[in-house]
Amino acid sequence: MSSAGRNWWKSGVVYQVWPASYKDSNGDGVGDFPGIISTLDYLKDLGVDILWISPAYESPQYDMGYDISNYEDIYHKYGTLADAEKLIQGCHDRGMRIIFDLVINHTSNEHAWFKESRASKTNPKRDWYIWRPAKYDEDGNLKPPNNWRAHFGGSAWEWDEDTQEYFLHLFTPQQPDLNWENPVCRDAIWESAVKFWLKRGIDGFRIDTVNMYSKGTELPDAPTRDPTTELQFDPHLFCNGPRMHEFLREMNAKALKDYDVFTVGELPHTPDPAHVLRYISASDKQLDMVFQFDVVDIGQGDVHRFETKPYSVGTFKNALNRLQCLITGTDAWSTAFLENHDQSRSISRFASDKPENRVRSGKLLAMLLITLTGTLYLYQGQEIGMVNVPGSWGPEEFKDVEIINYLEIVRNRTNNDPKALAEALKGVRLIGRDNARTPVHWDDSPHAGFTTGEPWIRVHDLYKEINVKKQQSDPNSVLQFWKRALKLRKDKMDTFVYGDFEMMDGDEKLFTYTKTNGDERTLVCLNFSDDRRPVEAPKDCGEEAEWKLLINNVAPGEKGGEDGWLSAWEGRVWKVSKPKANGYAVDGNATDGMDAAAVNEYMDHKLPNEEVARGGHGMDGNHPGEAAKREVSADGVPVKGAH
């Protein structure tokens, strides 16, 4: 088993809400807390256990709320502190939990702490932030303390004319970095950003940039990776610093230990598995789990992430395999996700958003996620199969500071070359953050039912085809599939949530793996291609094993693959059982003496949907290995004449 113990946050399903684009209650074009509250029953019905609210604190919104000016209040367009307390209570009344984003690497430059810090060099809060004197070139011109490039472009240092020093900002100039070397500053963070909300009943935190707090004190120049510019981006110089683990242990000891809460940290730029385990070992009391980016970062550029490059299905599978196997045999825990506010839509990114494949692809990715070990995270709109913005959208449609700054870099670097800009936009449309930040489609009314006013960002062109209201009445929709899939994950918790993952070798376009927990075993076969592919069962399952098809993504009337084959973007999940003396093995319960009709009725009652396999075996009564052996030669090539 992949877990040293079980609890509510390991088996729970987390749903992330990006408030600005979720649901607007007052017609100002921006989502808000009353809008979120109005959908709590919808989320409960979907199968959500834990709500995650992206930054909703008071903020000037230079970076969509990640520039916080007051940890103890709510951004006025989202609502009030009373609205936040009502949302917390609304979740608890429905048996749900709620976590908030915790953004404590930096604040807004409008936070009271920074206003004091920049007031003078002798202010008591001066060293709550990271200040350094200027350097000068041979002509006496000002130069930043080092050559670091900020995440969103430009120098990571901003000159303060009044006090004649630079301050560090790893993101925008409006987001000065806090100085975690100062213990008084850390204590203020615990009180204002952490305990203030724990006392109001929240159940944990998603912690932003959780490995950037310790940067050391030397802050050396970065090596040259991009020879076209003096500024260089090297996250290894500010991630996983010398006191990082000490700081997290202190957070647990001083702020978290008296509450039944969990933490999930955003852990970028940490490729060493052994180092990741140091953060999430239960015995070390730092973080309960982390988001790693091995999967969602594939295909990104090495210098600028929008300079994307092709990748194979094999690369995708291997990245997932690394993450799934990381915690096996340890006391650590992991996450399962494909989308969030910083990523593009998973159907467009990892499957196919062609009209003929879009729905089946959404279901395929749902099958992948529900069978992965770790806490499952969904992002708003993922449950209805929302996709990336259309290729026709021009640069004027994008609102994200990262995208805007990158396009400006390209214009300046290429002297406004239209070909270079068009290529840059391809990368932006593929992996840009605004893909996830267009409003949720609630219905087919103007602006997708998100707002009665003018939305702050354009609504996706496909909202009339992809929306909640339409899918609620369609039993074959992506939404209804997600509901059934999440129920199945909870029913099969032993293997799906806590089972050990083992990927099978074979066809690169097929993602085939088993999940095992004791005697319980599940086989997952997913076809990541436009072509029909043959499937073969694991060789160690034995000829006498019994197979029950738990779920697949082919709706009634659609053409699926024959037994032993998967059609385009088709997936199937089987339970593999040891043979019984009589009857079928269904969910571990004997069906001895039942006729076929009784077995079908029993199974439909347990999992009422069209994906249930009749008779407790494969689609035609054979497990996948038999068909594969009939129709596939020893080297995996389909036998001539096979269907």
Side-chain angles (χ1 to χ4, degrees):
M1 189 171 74
S2 296
S3 166
R6 301 189 179 195
N7 54 45
W8 59 269
W9 46 262
K10 289 182 178 178
S11 59
V13 174
V14 186
Y15 185 98
Q16 183 188 359
V17 166
W18 178 258
S21 299
Y22 185 69
K23 191 165 179 61
D24 173 25
S25 70
N26 60 7
D28 67 355
V30 178
D32 48 42
F33 274 31
I36 300 170
I37 293 168
S38 73
T39 69
L40 289 179
D41 289 334
Y42 162 78
L43 296 173
K44 179 68 175 178
D45 182 59
L46 174 61
V48 172
D49 302 298
I50 304 163
L51 196 61
W52 158 21
I53 305 297
S54 291
Y57 311 100
E58 190 59 78
S59 166
Q61 299 288 316
Y62 284 103
D63 186 23
M64 293 302 299
Y66 283 89
D67 49 319
I68 296 168
S69 56
N70 186 355
Y71 289 108
E72 300 175 19
D73 204 355
I74 297 300
Y75 176 48
H76 62 277
K77 288 194 175 184
Y78 293 168
T80 64
L81 193 57
D83 290 328
E85 292 171 341
K86 185 177 179 181
L87 175 60
I88 294 168
Q89 188 60 49
C91 288
H92 292 165
D93 288 346
R94 291 164 176 81
M96 298 164 62
R97 312 283 185 127
I98 183 169
I99 66 173
F100 277 14
D101 235 284
L102 184 60
V103 185
I104 48 180
N105 175 72
H106 46 264
T107 68
S108 165
N109 62 351
E110 297 183 22
H111 195 290
W113 296 348
F114 186 72
K115 289 180 179 179
E116 288 191 53
S117 183
R118 77 186 313 174
S120 73
K121 292 181 180 180
T122 59
N123 189 283
K125 289 189 174 63
R126 180 65 172 187
D127 64 349
W128 284 33
Y129 294 83
I130 300 172
W131 295 89
R132 292 291 186 274
K135 289 183 178 180
Y136 297 89
D137 63 19
E138 58 271 15
D139 297 322
N141 298 312
L142 279 173
K143 288 176 66 69
N146 64 31
N147 67 344
W148 291 5
R149 192 190 87 207
H151 280 80
F152 302 150
S155 173
W157 296 91
E158 184 77 0
W159 177 250
D160 181 65
E161 187 65 29
D162 291 340
T163 60
Q164 294 289 292
E165 282 191 328
Y166 282 93
F167 65 84
L168 180 69
H169 61 89
L170 292 181
F171 294 89
T172 71
Q174 293 80 19
Q175 294 167 287
D177 280 41
L178 288 159
N179 179 20
W180 279 66
E181 299 293 326
N182 185 329
V184 180
C185 177
R186 295 200 304 274
D187 285 342
I189 292 170
W190 308 147
E191 291 298 323
S192 183
V194 181
K195 289 184 179 180
F196 180 88
W197 289 103
L198 292 175
K199 292 173 183 176
R200 281 159 177 77
I202 70 163
D203 302 291
F205 295 99
R206 176 268 184 185
I207 307 180
D208 187 58
T209 59
V210 76
N211 57 345
M212 297 185 188
Y213 310 152
S214 173
K215 305 170 180 70
T217 57
E218 296 183 3
L219 310 181
D221 275 346
T224 299
R225 300 174 63 198
D226 181 2
T228 67
T229 176
E230 184 177 351
L231 297 175
Q232 302 296 316
F233 184 73
D234 189 347
H236 300 100
L237 293 174
F238 53 77
C239 289
N240 307 309
R243 300 184 67 188
M244 197 59 254
H245 298 285
E246 172 194 342
F247 292 156
L248 293 178
R249 293 186 194 105
E250 181 180 302
M251 179 174 66
N252 276 273
K254 290 190 173 183
L256 300 174
K257 67 180 178 63
D258 295 329
Y259 298 88
D260 179 21
V261 298
F262 79 96
T263 54
V264 52
E266 179 189 35
L267 193 74
H269 312 300
T270 310
D272 180 8
H275 198 166
V276 175
L277 288 172
R278 290 181 62 192
Y279 282 101
I280 55 177
S281 170
S283 60
D284 204 7
K285 294 181 171 40
Q286 295 186 50
L287 298 166
D288 292 309
M289 65 188 97
V290 294
F291 293 121
Q292 293 174 262
F293 301 94
D294 301 49
V295 176
V296 294
D297 281 355
I298 60 175
Q300 293 190 11
D302 296 326
V303 177
H304 292 282
R305 75 184 195 96
F306 293 119
E307 295 170 353
T308 56
K309 51 195 175 185
Y311 67 89
S312 67
V313 176
T315 302
F316 175 75
K317 296 190 313 186
N318 289 333
L320 265 172
N321 183 51
R322 288 194 301 274
L323 296 183
Q324 283 289 287
C325 295
L326 174 70
I327 63 171
T328 302
T330 74
D331 68 345
W333 193 240
S334 189
T335 57
F337 77 102
L338 289 177
E339 293 189 21
N340 63 35
H341 62 288
D342 282 338
Q343 308 300 328
S344 57
R345 292 295 183 176
S346 56
I347 292 175
S348 301
R349 183 87 163 85
F350 304 117
S352 172
D353 59 9
K354 296 177 183 177
E356 64 271 23
N357 297 327
R358 187 178 64 228
V359 171
R360 189 178 286 191
S361 290
K363 296 178 182 180
L364 182 86
L365 295 176
M367 294 167 66
L368 170 66
L369 284 168
I370 66 159
T371 54
L372 294 179
T373 298
T375 300
L376 175 58
Y377 289 79
L378 286 178
Y379 178 73
Q380 63 185 43
Q382 186 176 359
E383 78 276 17
I384 59 172
M386 289 182 65
V387 295
N388 278 1
V389 302
S392 59
W393 283 22
E396 71 281 357
E397 303 292 352
F398 297 102
K399 309 298 183 184
D400 178 27
V401 61
E402 180 187 28
I403 294 174
I404 292 169
N405 288 355
Y406 172 68
L407 294 178
E408 186 64 21
I409 289 171
V410 172
R411 291 188 186 97
N412 293 337
R413 188 175 62 190
T414 66
N415 196 26
N416 285 309
D417 179 16
K419 289 184 178 179
L421 182 60
E423 193 64 27
L425 282 170
K426 286 182 182 179
V428 164
R429 294 187 191 110
L430 179 63
I431 63 172
R433 303 194 298 181
D434 278 346
N435 284 298
R437 300 180 182 186
T438 60
V440 173
H441 307 164
W442 294 102
D443 55 42
D444 62 0
S445 65
H447 308 312
F450 162 69
T451 181
T452 57
E454 188 66 27
W456 72 274
I457 190 173
R458 180 174 170 178
V459 173
H460 198 291
D461 299 5
L462 293 177
Y463 74 90
K464 291 188 177 182
E465 297 178 38
I466 305 172
N467 63 72
V468 171
K469 183 178 180 180
K470 180 178 180 180
Q471 294 191 24
Q472 283 179 321
S473 59
D474 179 1
N476 300 318
S477 67
V478 177
L479 175 61
Q480 297 296 350
F481 188 89
W482 263 111
K483 289 182 183 181
R484 295 192 294 269
L486 292 178
K487 180 182 183 301
L488 180 62
R489 178 174 171 85
K490 292 171 182 178
D491 290 345
K492 302 297 181 186
M493 185 184 304
D494 285 350
T495 49
F496 285 13
V497 177
Y498 293 105
D500 288 332
F501 176 99
E502 184 176 359
M503 187 171 74
M504 294 173 54
D505 295 329
D507 188 335
E508 186 193 61
K509 297 295 180 68
L510 287 182
F511 196 1
T512 305
Y513 54 92
T514 58
K515 296 295 298 296
T516 306
N517 194 336
D519 291 335
E520 294 285 324
R521 193 176 196 191
T522 300
L523 173 67
V524 183
C525 298
L526 309 171
N527 181 7
F528 280 81
S529 79
D530 291 325
D531 305 314
R532 175 173 170 267
R533 323 290 295 194
V535 181
E536 189 169 35
K539 293 182 173 60
D540 62 347
C541 282
E543 293 292 334
E544 301 304 317
E546 293 179 340
W547 298 78
K548 176 193 171 187
L549 182 64
L550 297 176
I551 191 168
N552 77 358
N553 61 342
V554 178
E558 290 184 356
K559 181 174 175 55
E562 301 85 351
D563 188 55
W565 293 78
L566 295 180
S567 57
W569 304 102
E570 182 181 356
R572 301 182 198 176
V573 179
W574 288 272
K575 176 183 176 181
V576 185
S577 304
K578 293 180 179 180
K580 298 178 70 71
N582 297 292
Y584 296 106
V586 180
D587 291 343
N589 298 294
T591 56
D592 298 348
M594 292 185 184
D595 59 18
V599 171
N600 291 343
E601 181 180 356
Y602 175 83
M603 293 170 65
D604 283 345
H605 174 72
K606 292 290 289 182
L607 189 64
N609 63 70
E610 75 277 5
E611 283 81 17
V612 173
R614 303 300 183 183
H617 285 36
M619 294 296 283
D620 65 357
N622 298 301
H623 70 65
E626 292 173 343
K629 289 171 184 174
R630 288 198 307 268
E631 300 185 339
V632 182
S633 66
D635 60 1
V637 178
V639 175
K640 184 177 181 180
H643 296 292

